[in-house]
Each structure stands twice: as C-alpha cells, then as structure tokens.
C-alpha cells in the first residue's frame, strides 16, 4: 500500500498563556513549545508510527526549522526523497496562542502562495493520497495525474481552490467553516436539523455524498448508506485542541488503507483525535495504536500489530538526520489517561436520510438508533455522484423526536 501525503510541513510554535490576551497586553513567558505541524506532515508521521511507511512531498526552507522537520521525519522513518527545498523562502511557521486553562488555541497560520512544489512525478504509483490544501498546485497535479486513485482532501476553509478541489476527491474532510462557506448556509441554533440541511446542501453542490465534516464542537457529521449520521464528541481532558483535525485525517486514512467501513473508520479516527488533545502539539499528540484500539472498542476489526521494521531513509537525497537526535525506534509520547471517566459510547447516530440517486426519497427517520457492530469489513468505495435534489425533509418519528431532546443536539 503506497500512501503519499502532499502539503507544506510547518513548524508550530506554541505560546502558553494563562488567559487570552487583549489588544495592547504584554505577557512574559518562560517557555514555548515547538513541534511539527500541518495535516499532511502530521498524518505522515502517524501512519509511519502505526506501521505504514508513507511518502511525504512538500516544500521546506533551508533553515533551522527545515532541518528540524527533516530530523522529525527521519525519526518516524517517513520517506522524504520527494521533499523540495526552497532557498529563497523560509520554512512555513505557524503560531499558536494556547490558553492553558481550557486548552483552546488561537492560530496564526502562514502559507506563502508563491512557494509550491515544482515536481509532480514519482517513481511509484500512489494508492492513496492525503491532500491538505497548503500546496494547491501539488494537489491539483495529483488529481489530474491519478484520477482513479483514492484521494483524501482536508478543507479548512471554503476558498475557490478548495471548493473546486473538493469536487475532484474521493473523500473530503472539512471543517464546519468550510461547509458553511461552501453552501452559504448559516447555522443559527446549532440544531441537528440545521446540520442535516447543511449536509444536504453539500451533497447538492459537491456532487457526491462522501463529505465528512468536523463540527466546531468536535462532533462528526457524515453520510453512510444514504443516511446522515452524527458522531458525538468524546469527553476528555483537553490540554491543546489544535491536533484534532490532523490526527483525525491521518487515522481515517489508516482505516481506509486497512479496509474498514466508514462507520468504524470514523469512530476510530474520532477516538485517536480526541486522545491527541490531551497533549500539547500536533505531532507530539500522535497516540499509540493500541491506545486508540483499546478506547475505541474496535479490537475485533483493528489489528494491533507492532509497526513493522522499515529501512532508514537517512541516506535519501536531501535528508540529513543528526545522529545525536535520531533514535532507533519511533518516538513515543508518554501515555496518559485523557478521559475524565470511562469512555462514553460514541456510536454514530443516524439523524436523517440524504437524497441520492440510488435511494428513493422518503420520510427520514428521526429516531436515534445505536449502530450495530460490524463483524466483516469491506473496503470503502466512493458513492455515485449525487444529482441536485430537494432539501431533506425532517419529519419526526412517532416514537422519538430527537429535536425535542436537547441532549442529542
């Protein structure tokens, strides 16, 4: 299984504060955290840590941060021979103001649109690619050159390029801001009915129903078998919420590579992403595979085999690992209990049906149903393109109306 990740690796700089600053405030801090960031780069490290050695391609600068990023990839044994060096622009650097009281981050993300990949040919055929939107030229090249291959696109916001790219990819994992920007549908009350309507509009505009939306409250909205489902958030001790999206994308890709169905893949990815928020940083937040398996309840469908030995890529052109830094094993983050209590049941909840060509439109059920565990797993296949259709009708069931129950919203 050849997996390619495309995007600009970044160095994340975390500035911990005990309260969020106001304009004109002056703070003195005695320490800061620096670690690898951005979705494609973190996903590559996660896959390598879990036993799948991916290829990483992107642009970094010829500077100290660029060298630190190369060393991090070498620790995880990510194949970096397709990484390019830009000698005129520095390595992408993101700044995070971390509120230590609640773990929320205010992010200043930098992306130089003039610095992009110049080479798009590889000496292998990718089976799956992660595209994170930070190098849109590289993303476009992949979808043009490998139309039949599986692509997983992360959409942070609804720029014209991201909207166009989302229509070309197999899977789109987008933020709530992306979904609202793409559909121009405003969420006012945050009700389940509004989110169902939001998803229906995504399907109408995007032409396919394989969108996965990470809501601001870390609930997951997606569609399986023409049913819109919402996965509840997990209750955890949050130290830093910035890692959720990157870990979710990487974990979901791992599940697709392993042939899990969408329900199990999203449940597993959601568990991994939740655990990551108990640590500071994106790359340092990557959990152990067996830790995720144990807390997801998917022991029967995930093999917990140790990562296989891989060949050191220290001799790959352009990779210059520091012998004093590189270790013989994948770096491990100390395992801590991220949960306030025993992990809650996070089974997906069907909330409505979405109009698709293969499914007649009918009154969608509003009854919350616990998803049965799946004994056999089949590779996920992209669904057929969706034609324009009327918005979902949300008539309540006679037994239980979830819109009358605030606990399910």
């Amino acid at each position: 299984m050849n997996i390619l990740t495309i995007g600009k690796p970044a160095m994340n700089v975390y500035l911990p504060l005990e309260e969020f600053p106001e304009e004109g405030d002056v703070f003195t801090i005695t320490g800061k955290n620096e670690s690898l960031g951005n979705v494609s780069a973190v996903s590559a490290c996660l896959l390598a840590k879990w036993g799948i050695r991916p290829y990483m391609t992107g642009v970094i600068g010829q500077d100290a941060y660029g060298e630190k990023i190369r060393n991090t990839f070498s620790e995880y044994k990510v194949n970096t021979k397709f990484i390019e060096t830009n000698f005129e622009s520095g390595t992408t650097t993101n700044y995070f103001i971390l509120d230590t009281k609640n773990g929320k981050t205010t992010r200043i993300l930098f992306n130089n649109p003039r610095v992009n990949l110049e080479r798009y040919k590889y000496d292998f055929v990718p089976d799956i690619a992660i595209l994170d939107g930070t190098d849109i030229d590289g993303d476009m090249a992949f979808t043009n050159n490998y139309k039949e291959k599986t692509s997983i696109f992360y959409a942070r916001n609804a720029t014209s390029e991201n909207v166009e790219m989302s229509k070309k990819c197999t899977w789109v994992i987008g933020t709530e801001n992306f979904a609202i920007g793409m559909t121009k549908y405003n969420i006012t009350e945050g009700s389940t009915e509004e989110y169902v309507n939001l998803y229906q509009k995504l399907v109408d505009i995007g032409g396919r129903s394989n969108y996965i939306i990470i809501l601001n409250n870390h609930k997951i909205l997606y569609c399986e078998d023409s049913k819109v489902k919402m996965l509840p958030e997990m209750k955890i001790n949050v130290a830093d919420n910035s890692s959720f999206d990157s870990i979710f994308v990487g974990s979901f890709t791992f599940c697709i590579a392993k042939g899990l169905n969408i329900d199990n893949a999203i449940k597993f990815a959601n568990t991994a992403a939740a655990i990551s928020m108990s640590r500071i940083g994106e790359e340092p937040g990557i959990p152990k595979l067996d830790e995720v398996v144990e807390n997801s309840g998917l022991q029967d469908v995930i093999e917990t085999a140790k990562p296989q030995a891989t060949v050191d890529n220290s001799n790959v052109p352009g990779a210059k690992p520091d012998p004093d830094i590189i270790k013989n094993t994948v770096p491990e983050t100390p395992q801590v209990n991220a949960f306030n209590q025993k992990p809650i049941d996070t089974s997906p909840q069907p909330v409505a049906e979405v109009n698709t060509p293969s499914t007649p439109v009918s009154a969608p059920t509003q009854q919350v149903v616990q998803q049965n565990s799946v004994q056999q797993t089949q590779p996920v296949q992209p669904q057929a393109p969706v034609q324009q259709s009327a918005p979902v009708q949300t008539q309540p069931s006679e037994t239980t109306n979830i819109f009358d129950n605030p606990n399910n919203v």
Side-chain angles (χ1 to χ4, degrees), residues 330-378:
V330 175
E332 297 287 359
T333 304
Q335 183 169 336
V336 297
N337 182 10
F339 300 94
N340 293 318
Q341 53 188 357
K342 183 179 179 180
I344 62 173
D345 182 4
T346 55
S347 300
Q349 303 171 353
V351 292
E353 290 185 2
V354 64
N355 296 341
T356 64
S358 59
T359 304
V361 178
S362 60
T365 177
Q366 298 297 335
Q367 183 177 5
V368 178
V369 181
Q370 290 297 105
Q371 186 71 17
N372 294 327
S373 60
V374 179
Q375 299 300 323
Q376 297 183 355
T377 59
Q378 299 295 332

Side-chain angles (χ1 to χ4, degrees), residues 280-317:
I280 296 178
E282 292 186 70
E283 173 265 318
I286 299 174
K288 296 179 181 179
L289 178 56
D290 57 0
E291 181 183 10
V292 183
V293 171
E294 179 182 355
N295 285 285
S296 66
L298 296 174
Q299 292 89 339
D300 294 337
V301 294
I302 293 284
E303 288 186 356
T304 57
K306 298 295 183 181
Q308 299 177 355
T310 54
V311 179
D312 193 338
N313 68 344
S314 58
N315 294 323
V316 170

Side-chain angles (χ1 to χ4, degrees), residues 91-213:
T91 299
T92 298
T93 306
N94 301 324
Y95 293 91
F96 294 74
I97 300 175
L98 173 61
D99 189 334
T100 58
K101 291 182 178 179
N102 55 29
K104 294 182 178 180
T105 55
T106 300
R107 313 173 195 185
I108 303 173
L109 307 180
F110 174 76
N111 187 15
N112 187 341
R114 297 186 298 275
V115 177
N116 293 296
L117 287 167
E118 297 180 355
R119 297 185 296 274
Y120 311 116
K121 294 183 178 180
Y122 315 105
D123 58 6
F124 69 100
V125 177
D127 298 299
I128 301 175
I130 297 175
L131 320 172
D132 72 3
T134 58
D135 194 312
I136 203 67
D137 290 349
D139 296 346
M140 287 287 185
F142 179 87
T143 56
N144 290 335
N145 295 335
Y146 302 96
K147 293 183 175 66
E148 303 303 318
K149 298 301 180 179
T150 300
S151 52
I152 299 172
F153 178 61
Y154 173 72
R156 185 183 298 277
N157 46 48
T159 63
S160 58
E161 293 88 355
N162 284 353
V163 170
E164 184 64 24
M165 180 60 60
S166 71
K167 299 177 182 179
K168 298 182 177 182
C169 295
T170 314
W171 298 97
V172 179
I173 301 177
T175 65
E176 183 174 331
N177 290 338
F178 164 78
I180 292 174
M182 181 172 174
T183 61
K184 303 298 189 295
Y185 182 84
N186 292 325
I187 300 295
T188 58
E189 299 177 357
S191 66
T192 303
E193 183 176 12
E194 284 185 314
Y195 286 122
V196 170
N197 291 336
L198 173 68
Y199 195 92
Q200 177 68 70
K201 290 183 179 296
L202 272 177
V203 172
D204 293 342
I205 296 172
R208 56 175 65 210
S209 59
N210 51 358
Y211 285 85
I212 301 168
I213 303 302

